[in-house]
Amino acid sequence: MAEKKTKKAEAALEAVEAVTVEAPVISEAQANPEKFLKEFDWHNYEEGIEQVEDKKLEEFEKLVSENFVDTLNDEVVEGEVIHITDRDAIIDINAKSEGVISLNEFRYNPNLKVGDKVEVLIDVREDATGQLVLSHRKARVIKAWDRVNAAHDTGEIVNGFVKCRTKGGMIVDVFGIEAFLPGSQIDVKPIRDYDQYVNKTMEFKVVKINHEFKNIVVSHKALIEADIEEQKKEIIGQLEKGQVLEGIVKNITSYGVFIDLGGVDGLVHITDLSWSRINHPNEIVELDQKLNVVILDFDENKSRIQLGLKQLSKHPWEALGEEVKVGDKVKGKVVVIADYGAFVEVSEGVEGLIHVSEMSWSTHLRSAQDFVTVGDEVEAQILTLDREDRKMSLGIKQLTPDPWTDITSKYPVGSTHTGKVRNFTNFGVFVELEEGIDGLIYISDLSWTKKIKHPSEFCNVGDELEVVVLELDVEGRKLSLGHKQTTENPWDKYETEFALNTVHKAAVSEIVDKGATVEFNEDIIAFIPSRHLEKEDGSKLKKGEEAEFKIIEFSKEFKRVVASHTAVHKEEEAKIVKAAAKKAASAAAEAKPTLGDANDALQALKDKMDGKK
């Protein structure tokens, strides 16, 4: 575009011409030559610079400053749209030439027209064609940052356009700059639908600026909080215990509900929501629900307010009819289970405890979970009723006959029955004969022959065992049972079979400390002392070696058997001595030897038996 002069530029040039044309007829040099020569600027003369009076120069500078902008300055200036083409807008900023700005920078303002005032920044002082290049976009950014900084410093409320949703919040256009609105700064209450704010213009407060990363954080919540703070002071000043207020459910947690009382939050604990037992507050209330609550308590600063909902209705125990009494049968739902029992709601807000001992006639206590589960509908009998303390105890077993009423006829001493193993103790096994009838088998009554250290070595829970009733205590509701008594005691037979001095043939099973063991059968394992392992040749029996053993000790009571191999061959030697003595006596009778001869013969035999040569 060819360069053209503006009207203001022409006026300035005319003023300059007027300054140069209107030179005085009689100069100062002519009037006072000496002074002229003394003050003459020889440098300007040598450089060819025409001298102009200071007054006229000042007037010229004033005209230039009033009509032209300094194109070397990066400051934002205001210009006027003087022409619009298909692609550009021509802007007059009072420079020696007009500037050009692409219409793309005015997309936000489709109604741009000639005569509009716009802010511009000189981008390029002169391009290749000598044209002045301006930027409206950069000018807007600079001005926007100035306005944002001012708003942050002064706390001014600004308008912003919510452009879109992003992770953790929203993007807001403030003065043409994108700012971040965190989700927590949208409102004082939790936001569930972020999309409802998109494409809306809202008021914000600039709360944070990061100049290094050019980040801006705005808040709408800060404006609301300022209004709420005023309301809060007014409400807190009027709070009293027992006061009933209307509120809105703001938040629901597992432990209670937060209620907005109009700028002040209060908590209704889960136990204060309903007289009935509930698992979660959302069973009673829902978000944004309006309801009346009563103030139960608050701290000195009234910053923590405890509210109640159930207190607005009559306590269910007060509504419990007088006709309800001990012994009555009631129906209810199991609401809570503990190891010691179950709580049953017999009417709304009225609960009774069924202790585990009242669930079954069995004296062997089990966990309440073995009998009922939460949600079960059960029938029970009222055992105790305390209206003052609002307590009630119930029983289930009372609805069935007590099995111990005819126990003597059903389970007399000596009778045999089959029962199920319920559990173990270190000293025995509990066996259930029927529901409510448990008996104990002591560990010593499990087997005639096995040495049992713990009942689990003998049987498992759930096994069926045949038992004999040994003792019956009706008052103490105790049964003593025996399992081994269902079979004959094999030691009665062994007492004869393995009587003292009987001899049995077997192999050495194990070499143990101070001797060895010999297994005669599955029940009889005899102990052989070390000195009784000696064979006839003086050596000792080894493991696996078979030999004859004489029983030298038998105890039926302690199931103890001791045997000896040495005693067997010693007995044989004794028999030989007796036979030799008898033979010598016969020979002596026939030969009639002298008494001394007989004595010599006996002494020789004795020496042989004693190992003497």
Side-chain angles (χ1 to χ4, degrees):
M1 179 183 284
E3 182 180 306
K4 65 179 182 176
K5 300 178 182 179
T6 64
K7 291 179 180 181
K8 290 182 180 180
E10 290 173 356
L13 290 172
E14 287 174 0
V16 173
E17 289 173 359
V19 170
T20 57
V21 170
E22 293 177 3
V25 178
I26 299 174
S27 66
E28 185 180 352
Q30 292 172 335
N32 192 348
E34 293 181 4
K35 183 181 179 183
F36 174 78
L37 290 172
K38 186 178 181 180
E39 296 177 357
F40 186 75
D41 191 338
W42 292 100
H43 175 74
N44 288 347
Y45 174 78
E46 290 175 358
E47 294 293 328
I49 300 174
E50 186 178 355
Q51 185 178 8
V52 181
E53 291 184 4
D54 292 341
K55 184 177 180 182
K56 293 177 181 179
L57 286 173
E58 289 174 3
E59 188 177 349
F60 176 74
E61 290 174 357
K62 182 179 179 183
L63 288 170
V64 172
S65 64
E66 288 177 354
N67 293 281
F68 293 94
V69 296
D70 185 0
T71 57
L72 295 176
N73 199 333
D74 290 335
E75 290 183 2
V76 175
V77 297
E78 187 178 70
E80 182 182 346
V81 180
I82 61 173
H83 185 65
I84 298 177
T85 68
D86 293 339
R87 297 174 58 186
D88 303 311
I90 311 304
I91 311 296
D92 177 17
I93 63 168
N94 288 340
K96 67 179 181 179
S97 63
E98 285 79 22
V100 179
I101 299 178
S102 173
L103 287 178
N104 288 333
E105 297 192 21
F106 294 97
R107 281 182 297 180
Y108 75 96
N109 184 11
N111 299 319
L112 183 71
K113 61 185 182 298
V114 174
D116 285 354
K117 301 288 185 182
V118 295
E119 293 174 334
V120 298
L121 181 74
I122 299 170
D123 203 8
V124 179
R125 192 157 56 91
E126 284 186 4
D127 61 6
T129 61
Q131 183 66 54
L132 182 66
V133 180
L134 307 177
S135 173
H136 177 59
R137 180 181 59 80
K138 291 181 180 179
R140 286 186 71 213
V141 170
I142 292 173
K143 280 294 184 183
W145 272 101
D146 291 342
R147 295 175 68 183
V148 166
N149 284 321
H152 178 259
D153 295 339
T154 62
E156 176 191 351
I157 297 173
V158 299
N159 287 326
F161 178 74
V162 181
K163 295 177 66 176
C164 62
R165 179 179 174 180
T166 187
K167 183 179 180 181
M170 318 287 285
I171 298 298
V172 180
D173 186 318
V174 179
F175 305 139
I177 301 175
E178 288 190 348
F180 178 59
L181 172 63
S184 61
Q185 294 299 315
I186 298 176
D187 206 336
V188 291
K189 59 184 178 182
I191 301 301
R192 294 181 290 279
D193 181 14
Y194 284 78
D195 295 330
Q196 62 179 313
Y197 296 96
V198 177
N199 296 326
K200 283 189 178 181
T201 299
M202 300 169 61
E203 290 184 333
F204 299 99
K205 200 170 183 181
V206 180
V207 294
K208 186 178 180 182
I209 299 177
N210 187 320
H211 293 281
E212 183 180 355
F213 297 102
K214 298 294 183 183
N215 291 336
I216 304 171
V217 179
V218 295
S219 171
H220 180 68
K221 177 182 175 183
L223 303 178
I224 301 174
E225 286 178 335
D227 295 335
I228 288 177
E229 195 62 33
E230 293 299 321
Q231 299 176 20
K232 188 174 180 180
K233 289 178 182 177
E234 185 178 345
I235 293 172
I236 286 178
Q238 299 174 359
L239 288 181
E240 292 180 6
K241 291 182 182 180
Q243 186 179 9
V244 178
L245 299 172
E246 184 182 64
I248 299 174
V249 177
K250 180 179 178 181
N251 192 19
I252 300 175
T253 68
S254 59
Y255 55 85
V257 178
F258 286 94
I259 306 293
D260 183 359
L261 301 174
V264 180
D265 289 349
L267 173 66
V268 183
H269 195 268
I270 188 171
T271 56
D272 290 316
L273 282 170
S274 171
W275 292 114
S276 299
R277 221 180 267 260
I278 59 174
N279 295 316
H280 197 277
N282 57 21
E283 298 175 20
I284 305 295
V285 298
E286 57 186 26
L287 285 171
D288 300 326
Q289 180 183 347
K290 283 187 178 180
L291 42 79
N292 289 330
V293 289
V294 61
I295 297 176
L296 302 179
D297 201 2
F298 46 74
D299 59 11
E300 292 180 1
N301 300 324
K302 297 183 180 178
S303 58
R304 292 187 180 180
I305 305 171
Q306 184 181 343
L307 306 174
L309 180 63
K310 71 179 184 181
Q311 288 79 3
L312 295 176
S313 60
K314 194 176 181 180
H315 197 290
W317 271 89
E318 296 173 9
L320 191 66
E322 292 295 330
E323 69 278 4
V324 179
K325 58 187 183 300
V326 173
D328 288 353
K329 292 180 182 178
V330 291
K331 289 184 178 180
K333 184 170 71 174
V334 178
V335 289
V336 174
I337 294 179
D339 288 337
Y340 56 84
F343 288 92
V344 177
E345 188 177 52
V346 297
S347 65
E348 187 178 356
V350 178
E351 294 178 2
L353 171 64
I354 306 177
H355 193 271
V356 68
S357 61
E358 302 299 341
M359 292 182 173
S360 169
W361 288 110
S362 175
T363 54
H364 168 56
L365 296 182
R366 284 174 277 171
S367 176
Q369 286 92 335
D370 296 337
F371 297 97
V372 293
T373 57
V374 172
D376 284 355
E377 294 284 343
V378 297
E379 187 177 20
Q381 184 176 342
I382 299 176
L383 304 180
T384 63
L385 181 62
D386 189 339
R387 292 177 182 272
E388 235 179 80
D389 290 338
R390 295 171 179 170
K391 290 182 180 179
M392 181 189 300
S393 64
L394 307 172
I396 294 177
K397 71 181 184 182
Q398 287 77 9
L399 301 180
T400 57
D402 184 356
W404 282 82
T405 52
D406 56 351
I407 190 73
T408 52
S409 59
K410 290 173 68 176
Y411 301 101
V413 174
S415 60
T416 303
H417 309 274
T418 300
K420 183 178 287 187
V421 176
R422 278 297 179 192
N423 72 323
F424 301 131
T425 67
N426 289 330
F427 52 83
V429 180
F430 280 101
V431 176
E432 185 181 61
L433 299 179
E434 64 172 85
E435 180 66 31
I437 304 294
D438 289 344
L440 174 64
I441 304 175
Y442 281 98
I443 197 168
S444 58
D445 288 318
L446 287 172
S447 173
W448 290 112
T449 57
K450 292 181 180 178
K451 291 182 179 180
I452 302 169
K453 293 180 179 179
H454 192 273
S456 58
E457 300 172 8
F458 184 80
C459 57
N460 299 313
V461 173
D463 289 352
E464 289 193 347
L465 287 181
E466 192 174 5
V467 294
V468 173
V469 178
L470 303 180
E471 294 180 18
L472 177 59
D473 181 358
V474 179
E475 287 185 9
R477 301 172 81 92
K478 291 181 181 179
L479 267 177
S480 180
L481 307 175
H483 172 68
K484 71 180 184 182
Q485 288 80 1
T486 58
T487 60
E488 289 185 7
N489 187 354
W491 284 84
D492 291 339
K493 180 180 67 172
Y494 296 149
E495 191 175 21
T496 304
E497 185 179 348
F498 294 92
L500 287 174
N501 297 321
T502 57
V503 177
H504 307 271
K505 192 172 186 179
V508 176
S509 303
E510 294 289 340
I511 301 297
V512 297
D513 188 29
K514 298 182 179 180
T517 58
V518 174
E519 188 174 339
F520 291 125
N521 59 35
E522 61 178 5
D523 297 327
I524 303 295
I525 299 175
F527 173 68
I528 315 297
S530 182
R531 59 190 179 85
H532 288 277
L533 289 171
E534 188 177 334
K535 295 191 288 186
E536 190 172 1
D537 60 4
S539 63
K540 290 190 175 182
L541 292 171
K542 296 179 181 179
K543 181 179 178 179
E545 192 172 351
E546 194 174 59
E548 288 186 335
F549 298 91
K550 178 188 280 191
I551 304 301
I552 58 176
E553 183 182 341
F554 183 90
S555 173
K556 173 184 172 182
E557 182 181 356
F558 298 104
K559 300 179 178 59
R560 175 181 170 83
V561 178
V562 181
S564 172
H565 170 66
T566 304
V568 173
H569 61 77
K570 289 286 185 184
E571 183 181 8
E572 289 298 325
E573 290 180 0
K575 286 180 180 178
I576 292 171
V577 169
K578 287 181 181 179
K582 188 175 182 182
K583 187 177 180 181
S586 298
E590 291 175 5
K592 292 183 181 180
T594 63
L595 184 59
D597 294 335
N599 287 338
D600 290 340
L602 288 173
Q603 185 63 44
L605 183 58
K606 185 175 182 300
D607 290 342
K608 182 182 179 182
M609 289 178 64
D610 291 340
K612 295 179 181 179
K613 293 182 179 180

